[in-house]
Amino acid sequence: MGQNFFKRDDRDVQFVLKEQLNVAQLLECDAYKDFTTEDFDMILSQAMKIAANDVAPTFQDGDREGCHFEKGKVTVPKSFHQAWKVYKEGSWFGLGLNPEYGGQGAPVLITEVAMEFFQSANFPFMCFTGMGPGNGGMIENYGTQKLKDLFVQKMYDGTWGGGMCLTEPAVGSDAHMVSAKAIPDGEYYRISGTKIFITSGEHDLTENIIHLVIARIEGAPPGAKGVSLFVVPKIRVNDDGSLGEPNDVACIGIEHKMGLNGSATCAMNFGENGNCRGYLVGEPGMGLAYMFQMVNLARMAVGLESVAFASNIYANCLAYAKERIQGTPYGTKDGRRVRIVEHTDIRRMLMNIKALAEGMRALVYKAYLMEDFSKAHSDPEERKKAHERLELFTPLVKAYCSDRIYEIGRDGIQILGGYGFTKEYPIEQYARDCKILSIWDGTNYVQAVDLIGRKLKMSGGRAFQGWVDEVTEFIASTGQANDTLKEEMALLSEALQAVLGVVAKYDAYKKEGRIDLVPLTATRFLDCVAEVAVAHLLLEQAVIAQRKLASPANEGDKSFYEGKLETVRYYVKNFLPQVFGRVRIISLEDTSAVLIKEESL
Ligand SMILES: Cc1cc2nc3c(=O)[nH]c(=O)nc-3n(C[C@H](O)[C@H](O)[C@H](O)COP(=O)(O)OP(=O)(O)OC[C@H]3O[C@@H](n4cnc5c(N)ncnc54)[C@H](O)[C@@H]3O)c2cc1C
């Protein structure tokens, strides 16, 4: 096995869960009433232990040994088998899933925090663990009772894996254009077509893999309305649950990638011999709508994965910076060499990582709390509001976090200097592994367009306005009375107004027929909204830290809260003001990217 680089802790996790979000309030939801806060603590401390001791040692194997393809079979790194066994024995697959099918029914927020620890330990390994429960959830929500009885339990306990099969050689972002076919054949459909880039499409961790395949029923209308969803097992499953014959599902190769080498990215042929059976899920023509339920979960997961990477990158960089002796401090002449953590520029980069990691965590956890409330709050109006906030935040979580984690990887490597560029340290692997996050589950441009085209106007603009009101109210009630954070609150207020100015511009573009200005500015706009959202949540944390500093329980708490105040200040003064530059760029309405002729590009 490779080296164990798991150095992160859970101090900020505990702070956000308990002191900012008051996770105990989840116990008031009927669905979670059988849990206690001690249960939450126990789940998370166990997850941390297994992540650190059993999963993290497999991190380098994923990259160095990688996955191998031979004669239709994919083998995963050897150490993944042992990690899978431990993960399965601990029932981690079903932590947040329906107890009726063997899950444990834990809140989404607690489940996802546990996943954050495992993802810090070895994300490519977690790509295998996530697919079975994800696909099982879709079957549970939309499948017939027969499909649920046949598949769900074994997908929730790690007996069977899953593959989510949407992408085709000529169809990526244009998901509604899929060409895979489904021909009715009695109780089943005969599935045929090629899917590419399928995560965990084939591997040797489980005896069966239950694919969800997007395909077009013969004669269906073109476009999204003609797309349906099918359950397609690798090995057929008999009515008594035992395994039957192979189902004409073939892996024809795996991709060789810049990162995520421990995760098998497979090209799949369905029905090469005309003998691939699929079961329709739900109604014909609803495939994309159903799939979007899973895609939305995956978009949230991208944010969490970014937080998971950032936390361990930070811990590794900090440990290195505290040991490495190099250079003399700027402006000194006594020739004294210091640890690099004493250099201002290294501190700048460490603070970039720390502030972004904590800011992204605040955003992601808040969104997961909203997901819990949207499902389980006793008040239907609160459920609706929580759902709207989750919808509004999802593109921010997906795109803002995944673009930032690539920058974090860059800073992390830079902190370590030449060693950062070597495979002796884990940062370069994180930096390569994380790039996929801005691409899959809808590229980040798709998120920006979703924010502007759908989310701003969702529920007649109520979701967006509700968020604006909350930030405004926070500044008015908490900010103005807070002398220490006056400057930071003023920056938040100014940035919010700048964002609202762009929203007004988008309305004007629509009226004036200048809608083509939207794609030119969409990505920048998403970052502006995300920075205001993150700054708001971090300033909430700063106010809590100020209060706690009046009588900290011990020295550890004192330095944590002092650090929190400086970190929030750093974010608000070093990241949030980027809003002003971006809004200025947007207001210039520069169209040179469109006007330049293709032959001049
Ligand atoms: C490692 C890995 C794992 C994956 N796992 C899965 C999986 O499990 N299941 C699955 O189905 N797929 C999977 N994918 C596929 C992934 O979801 C697609 O790569 C992604 O949807 C983008 O599609 P594409 O690669 O065809 O890029 P394209 O859609 O060709 O996009 C190329 C560029 O053009 C831009 N673009 C596209 N359309 C527009 C537009 N209308 N306006 C402006 N810009 C546009 C995009 O934003 C992007 O920058 C995986 C991919 C990788 C690399």
Side-chain angles (χ1 to χ4, degrees), residues 297-475:
L297 298 180
R299 289 175 179 176
M300 284 295 300
V302 159
L304 187 77
E305 286 142 16
S306 306
V307 174
F309 282 34
S311 302
N312 210 35
I313 290 176
Y314 178 69
N316 276 275
C317 288
L318 182 61
Y320 184 88
K322 282 181 172 178
E323 280 188 1
R324 173 77 174 165
I325 295 173
Q326 199 70 201
T328 55
Y330 183 79
T332 60
K333 295 207 167 57
D334 60 7
R336 183 177 56 96
R337 295 172 83 226
V338 296
R339 294 166 310 135
I340 62 170
V341 71
E342 295 179 47
H343 292 308
T344 307
D345 188 56
I346 294 289
R347 282 171 169 253
R348 173 187 66 80
M349 290 187 283
L350 284 170
M351 285 297 270
N352 280 350
I353 301 176
K354 181 168 160 59
L356 283 174
E358 293 181 17
M360 295 188 312
R361 172 173 293 115
L363 182 71
V364 172
Y365 284 20
K366 174 81 179 188
Y368 276 129
L369 181 71
M370 292 301 108
E371 190 176 334
D372 270 319
F373 282 165
S374 74
K375 290 177 174 156
H377 202 285
S378 55
D379 179 348
E381 187 53 29
E382 288 301 318
R383 284 205 294 276
K384 196 166 160 205
K385 277 204 314 221
H387 177 73
E388 287 172 355
R389 179 64 58 85
L390 172 66
E391 287 266 301
L392 177 70
F393 272 12
T394 299
L396 309 183
V397 162
K398 199 283 178 181
Y400 181 72
C401 297
S402 61
D403 275 340
R404 298 295 84 72
I405 189 61
Y406 199 54
E407 296 168 7
I408 287 172
R410 175 202 63 197
D411 277 353
I413 292 171
Q414 196 71 15
I415 289 170
L416 269 65
Y419 289 102
F421 198 66
T422 70
K423 288 182 185 284
E424 227 174 287
Y425 289 88
I427 320 295
E428 62 82 33
Q429 185 183 329
Y430 281 123
R432 288 181 288 110
D433 286 356
C434 78
K435 187 62 198 110
I436 188 58
L437 301 178
S438 66
I439 297 168
W440 67 15
D441 301 315
T443 62
N444 282 0
Y445 170 73
V446 171
Q447 309 307 312
V449 170
D450 177 49
L451 174 67
I452 297 165
R454 255 176 26 89
K455 302 299 170 66
L456 291 183
K457 299 290 169 212
M458 197 175 56
S459 311
R462 195 179 89 149
F464 182 67
Q465 192 56 47
W467 170 72
V468 171
D469 291 347
E470 193 179 306
V471 180
T472 309
E473 160 67 16
F474 169 74
I475 297 166

Side-chain angles (χ1 to χ4, degrees), residues 164 166-167 172-173 197-199 257 265 436 439-440 443 445:
M164 171 179 151
L166 229 151
T167 306
S173 302
F197 290 161
I198 305 307
T199 299
K257 313 185 293 280
T265 307
I436 188 58
I439 297 168
W440 67 15
T443 62
Y445 170 73

Side-chain angles (χ1 to χ4, degrees), residues 173-391:
S173 302
D174 285 338
H176 59 284
M177 304 283 288
V178 291
S179 65
K181 281 200 190 66
I183 299 174
D185 185 11
E187 201 189 332
Y188 312 102
Y189 286 78
R190 257 183 299 128
I191 307 292
S192 61
T194 298
K195 297 284 178 179
I196 60 162
F197 290 161
I198 305 307
T199 299
S200 314
E202 167 62 23
H203 56 79
D204 58 350
L205 286 164
T206 54
E207 61 182 19
N208 203 0
I209 299 172
I210 313 302
H211 298 281
L212 284 179
V213 177
I214 282 285
R216 206 171 276 289
I217 297 176
E218 203 177 30
K225 287 195 177 126
V227 175
S228 302
L229 183 66
F230 299 87
V231 178
V232 182
K234 170 180 151 183
I235 312 282
R236 289 182 188 162
V237 179
N238 300 319
D239 284 351
D240 64 359
S242 60
L243 293 184
E245 341 162 4
N247 192 28
D248 196 10
V249 174
C251 176
I252 51 174
I254 57 173
E255 301 298 334
H256 300 281
K257 313 185 293 280
M258 68 176 270
L260 213 71
N261 294 317
S263 164
T265 307
C266 305
M268 307 292 300
N269 266 355
F270 293 90
E272 273 175 355
N273 306 303
N275 197 21
C276 175
R277 280 182 186 171
Y279 306 81
L280 179 69
V281 180
E283 299 296 318
M286 290 295 290
L288 276 188
Y290 298 150
M291 203 63 146
F292 265 95
Q293 178 205 309
M294 196 163 167
V295 168
N296 272 329
L297 298 180
R299 289 175 179 176
M300 284 295 300
V302 159
L304 187 77
E305 286 142 16
S306 306
V307 174
F309 282 34
S311 302
N312 210 35
I313 290 176
Y314 178 69
N316 276 275
C317 288
L318 182 61
Y320 184 88
K322 282 181 172 178
E323 280 188 1
R324 173 77 174 165
I325 295 173
Q326 199 70 201
T328 55
Y330 183 79
T332 60
K333 295 207 167 57
D334 60 7
R336 183 177 56 96
R337 295 172 83 226
V338 296
R339 294 166 310 135
I340 62 170
V341 71
E342 295 179 47
H343 292 308
T344 307
D345 188 56
I346 294 289
R347 282 171 169 253
R348 173 187 66 80
M349 290 187 283
L350 284 170
M351 285 297 270
N352 280 350
I353 301 176
K354 181 168 160 59
L356 283 174
E358 293 181 17
M360 295 188 312
R361 172 173 293 115
L363 182 71
V364 172
Y365 284 20
K366 174 81 179 188
Y368 276 129
L369 181 71
M370 292 301 108
E371 190 176 334
D372 270 319
F373 282 165
S374 74
K375 290 177 174 156
H377 202 285
S378 55
D379 179 348
E381 187 53 29
E382 288 301 318
R383 284 205 294 276
K384 196 166 160 205
K385 277 204 314 221
H387 177 73
E388 287 172 355
R389 179 64 58 85
L390 172 66
E391 287 266 301

Side-chain angles (χ1 to χ4, degrees), residues 25-94:
Q25 65 182 312
L26 285 173
L27 303 175
E28 288 161 26
C29 301
D30 225 30
Y32 308 135
K33 68 178 187 323
D34 294 338
F35 285 89
T36 62
T37 50
E38 289 75 27
D39 291 335
F40 294 164
D41 286 343
M42 200 193 62
I43 291 168
L44 296 183
S45 71
Q46 266 302 101
M48 182 66 109
K49 212 166 100 196
I50 292 172
N53 298 336
D54 297 287
V55 181
T58 66
F59 173 76
Q60 276 191 326
D61 298 343
D63 198 51
R64 294 188 179 176
E65 194 180 326
C67 295
H68 294 279
F69 173 78
E70 203 179 333
K71 295 186 185 145
K73 301 270 178 238
V74 174
T75 48
V76 305
K78 284 185 276 308
S79 59
F80 280 24
H81 288 273
Q82 175 59 19
W84 184 277
K85 190 164 165 269
V86 173
Y87 194 85
K88 189 171 186 312
E89 280 168 4
S91 302
W92 295 103
F93 287 97

Side-chain angles (χ1 to χ4, degrees), residues 481-495:
N482 196 317
D483 269 351
T484 326
L485 294 171
K486 216 178 201 160
E487 224 182 316
E488 289 76 8
M489 295 288 182
L491 281 167
L492 177 62
S493 175
E494 197 185 336

